Amino acid sequence: MTKTRHMCVVAAACAAVLAGCSSPAPISDASPGDPLIRTWKEGERPAVPDLSGPSLEGGTVSLSDYRGKVVLINAWASYCGPCRAEAPELKKVQKKYGARGLRILGLDNDAGRGAGLAFQKQYRLDYPSLHDPSGKQLLRLPRGVVTTQGLPFTIVVDSSGKVAAVRMGAVTEARLAKIIEPLL
């Protein structure tokens, strides 16, 4: 990577993190003091495109399969340490809120399916993951919603298909509860 390209990547990442410190009001008290969370007020939320494609299991998965539901889109890769740390937390969130309508859609960034499948099996994740090694699905997200330079990140989509919140870095059940509860 050239020095200029590296500086552009760093600048873009910093701008995206700082954008999380801007003025959109939080859903709850999830964002004060946490520059890695960005929330949008209802009515100002950007729409999420229908992310779709091959799943790790070999079928097809689509965000539109969850129309009318609150969805956590969690971007991860098996080689990512923070992704491994948050996997048990996501499993807890699914167990706690699944009956209330929450759905989780993983977005696997691994080059090959084998590593992603092994990750899902190791952490006993029973929600589907879209296999997106090239990042094409991520590039379809509205500009400024999230920086795709690092993993993991989680996008909380409200029941109308709009971005309610984004969390850069690993999530915990407690942090997600503050965002999810008002949406369910």
Side-chain angles (χ1 to χ4, degrees):
M1 180 181 292
T2 67
K3 184 176 181 178
T4 304
R5 169 106 170 110
H6 178 73
M7 289 173 53
C8 288
V9 168
V10 170
C14 290
V17 169
L18 291 175
C21 298
S22 65
S23 62
I27 294 169
S28 66
D29 63 348
S31 65
D34 189 348
L36 299 178
I37 292 179
R38 180 170 183 196
T39 60
W40 285 262
K41 292 179 186 177
E42 193 169 359
E44 296 177 6
R45 297 175 181 164
V48 179
D50 185 23
L51 307 177
S52 63
S55 71
L56 281 176
E57 296 78 18
T60 303
V61 66
S62 177
L63 181 59
S64 64
D65 295 341
Y66 307 112
R67 190 165 285 130
K69 303 285 184 187
V70 175
V71 181
L72 294 182
I73 302 171
N74 179 257
W76 60 274
S78 64
Y79 55 80
C80 164
C83 300
R84 291 180 172 279
E86 76 176 358
E89 296 294 308
L90 289 165
K91 185 157 179 73
K92 287 181 203 174
V93 167
Q94 181 187 27
K95 184 176 182 179
K96 184 174 181 177
Y97 296 104
R100 292 179 54 193
L102 177 75
R103 299 296 179 254
I104 299 178
L105 176 62
L107 194 55
D108 172 37
N109 226 222
D110 284 303
R113 280 193 172 112
L117 285 168
F119 180 90
Q120 280 188 319
K121 184 176 181 179
Q122 178 182 356
Y123 292 100
R124 297 184 178 108
L125 302 177
D126 54 3
Y127 51 82
S129 285
L130 181 63
H131 184 60
D132 188 33
S134 64
K136 287 181 183 177
Q137 296 299 317
L138 296 176
L139 293 174
R140 297 182 60 221
L141 293 170
R143 186 179 183 99
V145 168
V146 68
T147 176
T148 58
Q149 299 298 320
L151 295 172
F153 61 84
T154 302
I155 301 168
V156 181
V157 180
D158 68 17
S159 60
S160 64
K162 299 192 176 186
V163 178
V166 171
R167 166 79 177 147
M168 300 302 300
V171 294
T172 63
E173 178 186 4
R175 285 185 195 265
L176 286 175
K178 292 178 182 180
I179 299 169
I180 295 168
E181 286 283 344
L183 298 173
L184 292 175

